[in-house]
Amino acid sequence: MKTLFFIVILGGLFGAGGFAGGLFYAGQQEPAPGDLLRLIESDGPSGRAGGRRVPRALPDRSVFETSYYEFTEPLTTNLRGSRRFLQIGVGISTQYDDSVISHVERHEVALKSDMLAVMSGFTEEDVVGQAGRDALSSALRDAMNARLEALEGFGGVESVYFPSFVMQ
C-alpha cells in the first residue's frame, strides 16, 4: 500500500511538472516582426556586417507606399551613330524607405553622368517605340542601382519613368 501511494504521488509530481513546463513553453511568444528586422539589420553599432552595408529586408508591398523622385532638369545627349539627340525627363520609384530617395538626391551628379553614358550608347532605332523606351528605362535603372550599390551598399530604384521624351 505504501508503494502504491508513493507511485501515485511521484506520478502526480511528474504530471504537474510537465503541465507547468507546457504552460511556460506555450507562454513564450515570438518576437514582433519589427524586432526581428532590427536584430537582422544591427550587426554592431555601424549597422554593417563584415565591413559591408546590410540591405534592408524586402518590403511587404501591401504595407509600404511607392515613393517617387523626379530629377529637376532633363538629360540631353547625342544618340550613337546619329546627328539626332535625345532629351528625357527622368523620374524613379521605390517601395523601400526614404533612404533610397535620399541616396539618389545625394549622388545626383554621379547618377546623371551614368545615365548620360547609358543614353549615348543607344541608337535612334534602339529608342523607337514602347519596347525601345522600356529597354532604355531598364538600362537606366540598372546603371543607377549599380552606382548606388557601389556608393551606399544598396540600390533600391525599382522603376524609371520618362515624364518627357523628345528625340530631334
Side-chain angles (χ1 to χ4, degrees):
M1 185 76 153
K2 212 177 187 186
T3 307
L4 183 61
F5 179 72
F6 181 71
I7 291 174
V8 169
I9 294 294
L10 191 60
L13 287 174
F14 280 126
F19 182 73
L23 282 177
F24 176 77
Y25 181 77
Q28 297 293 319
Q29 296 178 349
E30 292 185 24
D35 294 339
L36 286 176
L37 186 58
R38 198 171 20 261
L39 289 172
I40 291 169
E41 288 178 346
S42 67
D43 188 16
S46 67
R48 294 176 182 262
R52 291 182 40 233
R53 189 178 186 99
V54 179
R56 297 187 186 263
L58 294 176
D60 177 5
R61 298 209 186 264
S62 64
V63 175
F64 289 94
E65 294 181 12
T66 302
S67 298
Y68 295 94
Y69 175 79
E70 185 175 351
F71 290 88
T72 55
E73 298 176 14
L75 300 174
T76 306
T77 188
N78 291 329
L79 293 170
R80 186 180 56 163
S82 174
R83 295 183 58 170
R84 299 183 85 178
F85 67 89
L86 178 64
Q87 182 179 61
I88 58 173
V90 178
I92 64 155
S93 70
T94 184
Q95 287 192 333
Y96 293 94
D97 61 16
D98 291 337
S99 67
V100 174
I101 301 296
S102 174
H103 295 160
V104 169
E105 290 173 337
R106 182 178 311 122
H107 303 293
E108 187 170 338
V109 172
L111 294 173
K112 283 182 176 181
S113 177
D114 291 344
M115 288 189 289
L116 287 170
V118 168
M119 289 170 57
S120 65
F122 278 73
T123 65
E124 287 180 51
E125 296 79 27
D126 291 339
V127 296
V128 173
Q130 188 62 45
R133 290 181 186 196
D134 290 344
L136 178 60
S137 173
S138 295
L140 292 175
R141 179 198 64 220
D142 294 346
M144 283 191 275
N145 280 330
R147 174 65 69 173
L148 290 172
E149 287 171 9
L151 295 172
E152 296 291 341
F154 182 66
V157 175
E158 294 180 283
S159 297
V160 173
Y161 303 99
F162 304 124
S164 64
F165 193 97
V166 178
M167 184 168 49
Q168 290 185 347

